[in-house]
Amino acid sequence: MATAAATSATEPETEPKAGPKAEGEEDETKAAKTRRKVLSRAVAAATYKTMGPGWDQQEEGVSESDGDEYAMASSAESSPGEYEWEYDEEEEKNQLEIERLEEQLSINVYDYNCHVDLIRLLRLEGELTKVRMARQKMSEIFPLTEELWLEWLHDEISMALDGLDREHVYDLFEKAVKDYICPNIWLEYGQYSVGGIGQKGGLEKVRSVFERALSSVGLHMTKGLPIWEAYREFESAIVEAARLEKVHSLFRRQLAIPLYDMEATFAEYEEWSEDPIPESVIQNYNKALQQLEKYKPYEEALLEAEAPRLAEYQAYIDFEMKMGDPARIQLIFERALVENCLVPDLWIRYSQYLDRQLKVKDLVLSVHNRAVRNCPWTVALWSRYLLAMERHGVDHQVISVTFEKALSAGFIQATDYVEIWQAYLDYLRRRVDFKQDSSKELEELRSAFTRALEYLKQEVEERFNESGDPSCTIMQNWARIEARLCNNMQKARELWDSIMTKGNAKYANMWLEYYNLERAHGDTQHCRKALHRAVQCTSDYPEHVCEVLLTMERTEGTLEDWDIAVQKTETRLARVNEQRMKAAEKEAALTQQEEEKAEYRKRARAEKKAQKKKKKTRGADKRKADEDDEKEWGDDEEEPASKRRRVENSVPPAGEAQDLEAEIGLFGKSAPVDVEPPSKQKERAAAMKRDVPRVLHDSSKDSVTVFVSNLPYSMEEPDVKLRPLFEACGEVVEIRPIFSNRGDFRGYCYVEFKEEKSAIQALQLDRKNVEGRPMFVSPCVDKSKNPDFKVFRYSTALEKHKLFISGLPFSCTKEELEEICKAHGTVRDIRLVTNRAGKPKGLAYVEYENESQASQAVMKMDGMTIKENTIKVAISNPPQRKAAEKPEAKGPGGPMVPRQIYGARGRGRTQLSLLPRALQRPSTAVAQAENGPAPKPEVTTSTVTEAPKMSNADFAKLLLRK
């Protein structure tokens, strides 16, 4: 089978043709028809050989060794109709999916999941040539996992026929052991190399592989033992005079290392050795046992935790760093990276340790290369890689190629491109010998600066709507290099002129930076000219610029220069003070408007409340008058209180008024009614709720209690409806819904559990939909004792693996959005943002498996149209929540600043105080000072003559008086 598969992998496919053929052509056509079937069988055989212990062909008289001949004979002796290829529905579907995946990879070669799916489908279809090419392409871009490597190696081993194929498999093993630390791959490598022991240099090859395996994973406390045992078994099987000493050496080396099951290894050594074990070996063994006890807590923590176990690995790394063994530190980093290969901070810490401690060129560069292959979206890893390559003297061409790869890695922020360009430009600057007037390196540096500015303007600004370099740091560095190192002030001035035209002329620090450059490398005339322009253009700190100008003229200028400088600075500062006064007046006016609005709203609420109170009083008087009339005109017998309450509160509909009048009669007697209307039933239920004694909350049970809010007010029997929901988290002791004085449910309750862990688990029900509204579940905390306690479920920091989507149609569901997003990666969670009533707001958060998928989704989905709505997609980075500004307390230095100076809602976002403190005056809008009445504000004529406005309550009083 392997022979047929290997032969077919190099032959082009031939489509069958109709019509008579010669005998040789019929054989070729038959082979073309059966080729795909043979390829599928080859893959199936390789898979079965790796997973099953043997073949079931032995029952039919065919051994495992001659399985390939059996496959060849079967394919040759069978009739043509048996293997005639026909596309069934599943195979056609697979072919269409393969074409789609290949097209997707042609657009985005960094789609990891797309690579994996393509390899799986090609392997299923038996396209071994294409499978090999797909695997090769993926391995060039991404490091492969242990499972992908083992699958690839088993396929290649099953098809290896001669020495050349064996060398090809060796090369694959070498690539595999470089991606991650994988004990199983090393063990497979050693066992496969044993099969080539009969070739030239085979024995040395096997020992070399095992020695390298011991160096790589021999210290692994839980998975290093099989490597040692396999090596010993191999040495024991060799019939040589020196083999005994080799086995002794392996036993002694192993017993000096802390590994699990060391006791069994020591017992095996005692049994195997004919001579007594030396005392030095026993001492090393006991020392290793003591070390094993120190390492066991960390190993047990890893065994008990669930993947990826980052916190446990971090603790283990800290312990190893204190111990200081470089080999063990390297091993624990490698073990951690197997499960946390997409954590950039772990790669940074590992590479930083190698850069500062070991400084081994091959090891350092290998780790940096693996880091950028695992996390290509992290600019810090690329910058460190370029520095490491320069530090170890890598060829300039290789560094330039690496930089080009970094540009195509797909960073998620515009500032990341500025950082990587700056790192590369720094490297080019260090290559230049500035003692020469002109050199190839200098021209390359200048062309790189030019290309960087064009790249940020075109590529980056088009993608992010910003260049990422608002302060023009790259142009500033270029100007400094031209002025200080190249003595080319003319070019430096041109660059600074471009910097100022990009919106930086209003900042004082930019002008002062240019001034300092002119002072150091230019002349006084250009310094004076720069400061004069700065005085006119600066808007943030004009006083500082004016002070610098006057200082320069005081030390270097003539009287005429001094007079000009004083005139310009006084004029400019007067204008600035005038603008600040206007801004302060405008701020004061806005503050007064806010106060007036707040006072108006307060007065309106008070009037509305008073009006409601009067209506209630009037209604009570009317009911009392009706009762008096009933007593006067009705029967002398007094009605029961409960019956009287029902008659008072029942309000019949308009259509039933006549029937009710006829039924009651002239003197108010009514016939008994069997069924109460719904309104009376609700009223009686509310009365029962009012009669329930109120239970005060016991703060000592806060740890086993959760607070549930935002429930529908119309929910009937909340304790009954919520109990099944919360009993799924643990045993519920009590559910206490809160009712108003009238017996209406207020939308929140307390749920008390028997155990604290149940209360913690109940917090996972937060935002769960209950009767169309998101239910809020939070810990029960006494705010009077913990005023700063706040619960916010979602992160407000930058999350590079999470997207923020806005502009969604309100009708868009979670399932529809997930269907769109999962085309760009593995979606872990989707949250549609709703208001308190559960209505969608057109916003959503989508969490991907890693940062790479999120960055690709941003590029593909931003600007997409969904149901005629154009959505915006960005990396989740909510704005920082600023704490409310508090008024300063009164101190001995002066009066307290009133809170009202900032308006009813605090200080506005754009209400900047541009008035100098020396010119500030106490506000007259304060109605009452702290220790006495404030001075009365001036009263205008219009205010005195204007008649007071009357409210609805005032009109009602006038009517009642009449």
Side-chain angles (χ1 to χ4, degrees):
M1 182 191 303
T3 307
T7 305
S8 62
T10 58
E11 294 180 355
E13 293 190 8
T14 306
E15 295 293 337
K17 297 181 180 180
K21 302 179 182 64
E23 185 176 355
E25 294 178 352
E26 290 181 358
D27 294 339
E28 293 179 1
T29 305
K30 188 200 305 184
K33 291 179 180 179
T34 61
R35 182 173 294 114
R36 191 179 300 273
K37 201 75 171 182
V38 172
L39 295 178
S40 299
R41 287 191 170 194
V43 176
T47 306
Y48 186 74
K49 190 175 294 183
T50 59
M51 300 180 64
W55 298 94
D56 293 336
Q57 296 169 345
Q58 296 179 3
E59 297 180 0
E60 302 176 5
V62 182
S63 63
E64 183 178 353
S65 60
D66 58 2
D68 293 341
E69 287 79 5
Y70 172 77
M72 291 293 296
S74 299
S75 61
E77 294 175 1
S78 300
S79 61
E82 183 179 354
Y83 294 111
E84 184 175 355
W85 181 258
E86 294 180 357
Y87 283 97
D88 58 9
E89 184 177 354
E90 182 179 357
E91 291 162 347
E92 185 176 359
K93 182 180 178 181
N94 289 341
Q95 288 295 328
L96 292 175
E97 182 66 12
I98 288 172
E99 294 177 1
R100 188 192 70 81
L101 292 173
E102 290 176 344
E103 183 180 358
Q104 181 70 20
L105 287 176
S106 65
I107 299 173
N108 178 20
V109 73
Y110 287 97
D111 193 333
Y112 184 90
N113 294 328
C114 194
H115 281 283
V116 175
D117 295 339
L118 179 61
I119 292 172
R120 178 182 57 81
L121 287 175
L122 290 174
R123 191 169 184 268
L124 184 64
E125 290 296 309
E127 301 280 356
L128 294 187
T129 304
K130 292 185 177 180
V131 170
R132 185 176 291 169
M133 294 177 60
R135 284 167 168 163
Q136 185 67 30
K137 288 181 179 179
M138 183 178 182
S139 65
E140 292 174 357
I141 301 173
F142 297 105
L144 305 186
T145 62
E146 180 179 351
E147 294 77 11
L148 291 176
W149 271 120
L150 289 176
E151 182 183 77
W152 189 0
L153 290 167
H154 289 155
D155 289 350
E156 295 293 343
I157 290 173
S158 66
M159 294 184 294
L161 300 176
D162 52 17
L164 293 177
D165 292 338
R166 179 170 286 275
E167 290 297 326
H168 173 65
V169 176
Y170 283 153
D171 293 339
L172 282 181
F173 271 114
E174 290 295 331
K175 292 180 179 179
V177 297
K178 290 179 181 179
D179 277 352
Y180 300 110
I181 179 173
C182 300
N184 292 333
I185 293 181
W186 276 112
L187 186 60
E188 193 81 16
Y189 193 6
Q191 292 174 349
Y192 181 72
S193 63
V194 172
I197 194 172
Q199 298 179 352
K200 183 179 179 181
L203 180 60
E204 291 75 11
K205 176 70 175 179
V206 176
R207 285 177 173 169
S208 173
V209 170
F210 274 115
E211 287 293 339
R212 292 171 56 202
L214 292 180
S215 300
S216 178
V217 297
L219 298 177
H220 200 303
M221 298 186 64
T222 57
K223 297 183 179 180
L225 185 61
I227 304 293
W228 288 98
E229 293 178 346
Y231 195 6
R232 286 203 317 270
E233 290 176 3
F234 166 73
E235 291 293 346
S236 299
I238 299 176
V239 183
E240 289 182 359
R243 71 180 180 85
L244 294 177
E245 185 59 32
K246 187 71 175 177
V247 176
H248 274 292
S249 176
L250 287 175
F251 267 118
R252 293 167 184 173
R253 289 167 59 188
Q254 181 179 352
L255 291 174
I257 298 173
L259 297 173
Y260 273 33
D261 296 333
M262 290 186 64
E263 297 83 356
T265 305
F266 185 78
E268 181 183 354
Y269 186 29
E270 285 182 322
E271 182 180 355
W272 180 86
S273 177
E274 298 176 356
D275 301 327
I277 299 177
E279 186 64 27
S280 61
V281 176
I282 297 176
Q283 290 179 357
N284 292 334
Y285 167 70
N286 293 328
K287 185 178 180 181
L289 282 177
Q290 294 176 0
Q291 292 179 343
L292 179 62
E293 294 301 322
K294 295 180 181 179
Y295 289 112
K296 270 188 177 180
Y298 298 97
E299 292 290 344
E300 291 173 356
L302 290 175
L303 293 175
E304 294 174 358
E306 297 182 357
R309 301 185 276 258
L310 180 59
E312 290 75 14
Y313 275 119
Q314 293 280 16
Y316 205 162
I317 290 172
D318 294 338
F319 173 74
E320 290 287 10
M321 295 284 276
K322 292 180 181 179
M323 299 298 291
D325 187 350
R328 299 197 67 88
I329 293 174
Q330 183 183 351
L331 175 65
I332 190 59
F333 268 117
E334 293 288 350
R335 289 177 60 184
L337 288 170
V338 171
E339 299 183 22
N340 299 276
C341 58
L342 300 179
V343 181
D345 292 340
L346 190 59
W347 284 107
I348 291 175
R349 187 178 181 186
Y350 185 24
S351 60
Q352 183 175 336
Y353 168 76
L354 296 177
D355 287 334
R356 296 179 179 178
Q357 302 296 329
L358 296 187
K359 301 180 181 180
V360 180
K361 177 180 178 181
D362 294 338
L363 177 60
V364 170
L365 295 181
S366 173
V367 170
H368 278 289
N369 183 35
R370 291 161 53 206
V372 297
R373 291 177 67 201
N374 279 276
C375 305
W377 62 88
T378 307
V379 67
L381 293 175
W382 287 102
S383 301
R384 290 174 176 270
Y385 191 15
L386 293 177
L387 289 172
M389 296 174 77
E390 181 185 3
R391 193 177 295 118
H392 291 282
V394 178
D395 185 67
H396 170 63
Q397 188 65 29
V398 178
I399 297 179
S400 299
V401 172
T402 303
F403 168 71
E404 296 297 333
K405 289 181 181 178
L407 287 182
S408 61
F411 299 131
I412 59 180
Q413 291 183 355
T415 53
D416 293 344
Y417 287 94
V418 178
E419 184 176 346
I420 192 62
W421 268 110
Q422 192 61 61
Y424 183 59
L425 292 170
D426 291 344
Y427 157 71
L428 293 178
R429 195 265 306 164
R430 288 189 286 266
R431 294 181 68 243
V432 179
D433 183 9
F434 291 99
K435 296 179 181 179
Q436 303 178 8
D437 294 337
S438 179
S439 63
K440 180 181 177 182
E441 290 79 7
L442 179 58
E443 294 303 322
E444 183 179 3
L445 175 62
R446 285 172 172 165
S447 62
F449 270 115
T450 304
R451 183 190 168 199
L453 298 178
E454 293 177 355
Y455 187 90
L456 294 177
K457 182 178 180 181
Q458 298 176 2
E459 301 290 336
V460 178
E461 193 167 353
E462 180 180 351
R463 176 181 170 188
F464 297 98
N465 294 326
E466 58 169 329
S467 66
D469 191 15
S471 300
C472 301
T473 55
I474 291 181
M475 292 183 69
Q476 288 188 47
N477 292 334
W478 189 5
R480 295 189 191 101
I481 291 173
E482 292 289 351
R484 296 175 183 175
L485 301 177
C486 301
N487 298 319
N488 189 355
M489 274 303 300
Q490 183 62 32
K491 180 65 175 178
R493 292 183 183 114
E494 293 176 1
L495 291 170
W496 271 105
D497 188 62
S498 300
I499 292 172
M500 293 305 180
T501 56
K502 294 182 181 298
N504 294 300
K506 57 185 177 180
Y507 300 116
N509 65 320
M510 300 297 288
W511 285 107
L512 296 179
E513 187 71 26
Y514 176 38
Y515 165 74
N516 292 330
L517 191 67
E518 285 284 358
R519 291 284 292 180
H521 307 284
D523 51 41
T524 306
Q525 180 180 357
H526 284 91
C527 290
R528 181 177 291 110
K529 183 178 179 181
L531 289 178
H532 283 183
R533 291 177 59 192
V535 168
Q536 299 299 325
C537 300
T538 303
S539 59
D540 54 352
Y541 298 104
E543 295 91 348
H544 190 32
V545 176
C546 293
E547 183 180 353
V548 173
L549 176 59
L550 294 176
T551 302
M552 188 193 77
E553 298 298 354
R554 180 177 284 111
T555 56
E556 301 181 17
T558 63
L559 177 61
E560 183 180 358
D561 296 332
W562 171 261
D563 291 339
I564 295 175
V566 170
Q567 181 180 358
K568 286 191 173 184
T569 54
E570 288 180 350
T571 304
R572 176 59 178 165
L573 292 178
R575 191 183 311 147
V576 169
N577 289 332
E578 182 180 356
Q579 293 173 355
R580 289 174 177 173
M581 289 294 294
K582 290 182 179 179
E585 293 175 358
K586 186 176 180 180
E587 181 181 359
L590 291 174
T591 303
Q592 186 175 359
Q593 291 179 5
E594 289 290 336
E595 291 176 358
E596 292 176 355
K597 289 180 181 179
E599 185 65 26
Y600 175 77
R601 287 192 294 266
K602 183 178 179 181
R603 188 168 58 250
R605 285 195 298 268
E607 292 175 354
K608 189 174 181 180
K609 187 175 181 180
Q611 188 176 359
K612 286 183 178 180
K613 189 175 181 180
K614 289 181 179 179
K615 286 183 178 180
K616 289 181 181 179
T617 306
R618 191 182 306 168
D621 295 341
K622 187 175 182 181
R623 284 194 299 270
K624 187 175 181 181
D626 293 341
E627 291 175 3
D628 295 340
D629 292 342
E630 288 180 3
K631 288 183 179 180
E632 182 178 354
W633 296 100
D635 292 13
D636 295 335
E637 184 178 354
E638 186 175 350
E639 293 181 347
S642 59
K643 182 177 180 181
R644 187 165 60 247
R645 187 184 301 114
R646 287 199 301 269
V647 172
E648 291 169 6
N649 294 335
S650 60
V651 181
E656 299 176 5
Q658 296 178 358
D659 298 337
L660 185 62
E661 183 180 3
E663 188 173 326
I664 293 177
L666 179 62
F667 298 102
K669 293 183 177 181
S670 60
V673 181
D674 295 333
V675 181
E676 294 180 347
S679 60
K680 295 182 179 181
Q681 295 177 5
K682 290 184 178 180
E683 182 178 350
R684 186 163 59 182
M688 293 175 63
K689 293 176 183 177
R690 287 196 299 268
D691 297 337
V692 174
R694 298 194 176 188
V695 180
L696 296 178
H697 176 66
D698 187 1
S699 59
S700 64
K701 298 181 179 180
D702 285 349
S703 60
V704 295
T705 308
V706 295
F707 179 68
V708 183
S709 59
N710 201 44
L711 295 169
Y713 296 137
S714 60
M715 178 181 287
E716 297 181 359
E717 298 182 346
D719 52 342
V720 177
K721 291 189 177 181
L722 294 177
R723 183 172 290 274
L725 191 63
F726 285 96
E727 283 181 343
C729 303
E731 183 178 351
V732 177
V733 177
E734 182 185 11
I735 297 180
R736 298 193 302 275
I738 306 302
F739 297 94
S740 65
N741 294 330
R742 297 191 303 171
D744 298 330
F745 180 48
R746 300 184 65 178
Y748 62 91
C749 63
Y750 294 91
V751 181
E752 181 183 339
F753 291 92
K754 187 175 182 180
E755 298 179 349
E756 184 176 353
K757 65 179 183 180
S758 302
I760 296 175
Q761 185 177 355
L763 297 177
Q764 303 297 324
L765 298 176
D766 188 34
R767 301 306 199 280
K768 184 175 180 61
N769 191 284
V770 176
E771 295 189 4
R773 292 174 66 92
M775 176 180 65
F776 298 163
V777 184
S778 59
C780 189
V781 178
D782 189 356
K783 291 296 184 67
S784 61
K785 298 180 180 178
N786 300 279
D788 297 330
F789 178 80
K790 291 183 179 180
V791 176
F792 193 73
R793 180 184 177 190
Y794 307 108
S795 173
T796 57
L798 173 64
E799 297 179 281
K800 296 184 179 181
H801 66 287
K802 185 181 291 186
L803 304 184
F804 173 68
I805 304 178
S806 59
L808 289 169
F810 294 152
S811 60
C812 182
T813 63
K814 181 177 180 180
E815 291 75 17
E816 293 174 345
L817 184 59
E818 183 178 6
E819 190 68 24
I820 297 172
C821 296
K822 72 179 183 181
H824 309 290
T826 304
V827 178
R828 296 176 59 182
D829 184 39
I830 292 181
R831 178 169 65 91
L832 294 178
V833 182
T834 61
N835 57 17
R836 297 180 66 90
K839 301 295 182 61
K841 300 173 68 174
L843 309 174
Y845 289 91
V846 180
E847 182 179 356
Y848 279 94
E849 193 172 33
N850 52 55
E851 300 174 13
S852 176
Q853 296 177 0
S855 61
Q856 296 299 327
V858 171
M859 291 187 292
K860 301 297 180 183
M861 295 176 58
D862 189 27
M864 179 185 292
T865 302
I866 300 179
K867 296 182 180 180
E868 299 182 357
N869 283 37
T870 303
I871 64 172
K872 293 183 179 180
V873 184
I875 297 296
S876 177
N877 188 16
Q880 296 294 328
R881 294 170 176 260
K882 296 183 178 180
E885 297 185 11
K886 298 181 180 180
E888 299 179 358
K890 179 180 178 181
M896 179 184 69
V897 179
R899 180 181 182 277
Q900 288 81 359
I901 194 170
Y902 295 137
R905 299 193 179 190
R907 188 174 187 136
R909 182 180 300 176
T910 59
Q911 297 177 8
L912 302 177
S913 178
L914 300 178
L915 185 65
R917 287 191 294 269
L919 300 179
Q920 289 182 354
R921 296 289 184 271
S923 175
T924 58
V926 184
Q928 181 74 22
E930 186 180 22
N931 296 322
K936 298 181 180 180
E938 297 181 2
V939 181
T940 58
T941 308
S942 59
T943 307
V944 175
T945 58
E946 185 180 0
K949 296 181 180 179
M950 298 182 66
S951 64
N952 295 334
D954 296 332
F955 282 108
K957 291 179 181 179
L958 293 176
L959 293 174
L960 290 174
R961 291 173 184 172
K962 293 180 180 180

